[in-house]
Amino acid sequence: MSAHVEEIRLNLPHIELAAHLYGPEDGQPVIALHGWLDNAASFARLAPRLPGLRIVALDFAGHGHSAHRAPGAGYLLWDYALDVLLVAEQLGWDRFALLGHSMGAIVSVMLAGAMPDRVSRLALIDGLMPYTGEADQAPTKLGEALLAQLALAAKRKPVYAAIDRAVEARMKGVGAVSREAAELLAQRGLMPVAGGYTWRTDSRLTLPSPLRLTRAHALAFARSLKCPALLVLAEHGLLQTEPKFVELLDGLPLDVRRLPGKHHLHLDDEAGAQAVADCFNPFFAAP
């Protein structure tokens, strides 16, 4: 399924972000947020199936065609949340919905929990809370992160002789995807270099986090949600492997739908995209 999509640039005070724009100008405002190491093409199959919405599908900073953060800066979840809020400010959207997949869903929950007056509803795909770390692990984890940053200058991105090789690598990456999904992500995510192609993503995105929220912190954001929230879970997605995740859902203020498919069920094939759309269309149409 195809629909008109416009490429736009958003000049924030500290960085320039790229995005795909879908839907009518008077549509319900929605900011769509992709997963880690993906890009705006993550919504290429789903967005055209959500009529009546004005969807701005961002390339997060360091991903796709968006700029990389300045030297010395990092890619923490709350930095992404600020970027999203600044995008809404630039668009003139006082209130807006968030459509998030994986890491994009995590950022969505954090922003909605922190700024309940700004977020009208949450549509989440196989993502909810970040990986957590308890206080006693913090010194060790920070040490590992600092060493990784020191070693980054000596690391080199992989170079693929042909686009097909990059597509095959992405199919086997974190949250393995179908070939068609990998091709869509590669169209936006690859750039030519000497010897072939490499990913546009900032190498710093693969660094370990210097600080993680505790489980109590992460749950506090999810429990603070005030807007309507719907989580679509993939039967073979990443969240199903999290220990005690199902028990956590019982006490959270959101509706949950389970669908066949893997972590990228909204992108892997047309049937998956339609199934996700069939969940979200009534949700967005509700008063």
Side-chain angles (χ1 to χ4, degrees):
M1 185 174 185
S2 62
H4 176 72
V5 56
E6 181 182 348
E7 179 81 27
I8 62 172
R9 310 291 296 188
L10 298 150
N11 291 298
L12 307 186
H14 61 298
I15 197 168
E16 184 181 70
L17 300 182
H20 278 164
L21 178 62
Y22 297 88
E25 290 186 16
D26 60 350
Q28 184 179 162
V30 179
I31 300 176
L33 307 175
H34 62 77
W36 180 61
L37 300 184
D38 288 344
N39 54 60
S42 178
F43 300 100
R45 279 182 154 149
L46 178 60
R49 291 177 158 82
L50 300 175
L53 305 184
R54 183 68 160 175
I55 299 174
V56 174
L58 290 181
D59 284 335
F60 271 131
H63 296 74
H65 288 274
S66 286
H68 296 184
R69 297 210 190 276
Y75 290 93
L76 301 176
L77 293 172
W78 36 89
D79 295 323
Y80 289 130
L82 176 61
D83 291 344
V84 175
L85 197 57
L86 289 171
V87 165
E89 292 286 299
Q90 185 169 126
L91 295 170
W93 290 354
D94 291 331
R95 280 177 62 78
F96 51 91
L98 290 169
L99 166 60
H101 170 243
S102 194
M103 184 183 79
I106 294 167
V107 173
S108 297
V109 170
M110 292 181 69
L111 181 55
M115 305 286 288
D117 292 341
R118 299 298 301 271
V119 180
S120 60
R121 57 184 71 229
L122 282 179
L124 310 173
I125 305 169
D126 218 48
L128 182 64
M129 298 190 308
Y131 291 111
T132 57
E134 297 310 309
D136 60 346
Q137 303 167 337
T140 299
K141 293 300 182 182
L142 177 57
E144 292 172 353
L146 292 173
L147 289 174
Q149 289 184 45
L150 291 176
L152 184 63
K155 293 181 68 175
R156 295 291 179 267
K157 288 183 182 180
V159 175
Y160 305 94
I163 291 177
D164 280 351
R165 302 287 81 78
V167 167
E168 290 165 3
R170 181 61 191 87
M171 290 171 64
K172 301 171 185 175
V174 176
V177 299
S178 69
R179 175 171 287 276
E180 290 181 358
E183 288 172 346
L184 286 166
L185 294 170
Q187 287 172 14
R188 189 165 184 82
L190 289 176
M191 63 181 182
V193 294
Y197 300 87
T198 194
W199 298 99
R200 296 178 182 274
T201 45
D202 191 332
S203 297
R204 290 174 289 175
L205 291 167
T206 61
L207 291 172
S209 299
L211 181 67
R212 285 185 171 177
L213 299 179
T214 67
R215 192 176 187 86
H217 280 124
L219 279 170
F221 282 101
R223 288 170 176 160
S224 295
L225 297 178
K226 299 293 190 293
C227 65
L230 174 60
L231 169 63
V232 169
L233 279 179
E235 287 182 354
H236 301 287
L238 295 183
L239 290 185
Q240 299 292 4
T241 65
E242 286 293 298
K244 299 184 178 178
F245 179 73
V246 175
E247 290 89 333
L248 284 177
L249 289 176
D250 290 340
L252 297 180
L254 58 128
D255 292 329
V256 180
R257 308 284 177 82
R258 288 172 173 81
L259 294 178
K262 298 181 180 179
H263 186 53
H264 287 75
L265 72 165
H266 65 298
L267 182 65
D268 276 336
D269 55 42
E270 299 291 340
Q274 188 59 56
V276 175
D278 288 343
C279 290
F280 285 156
N281 278 318
F283 174 69
F284 279 110

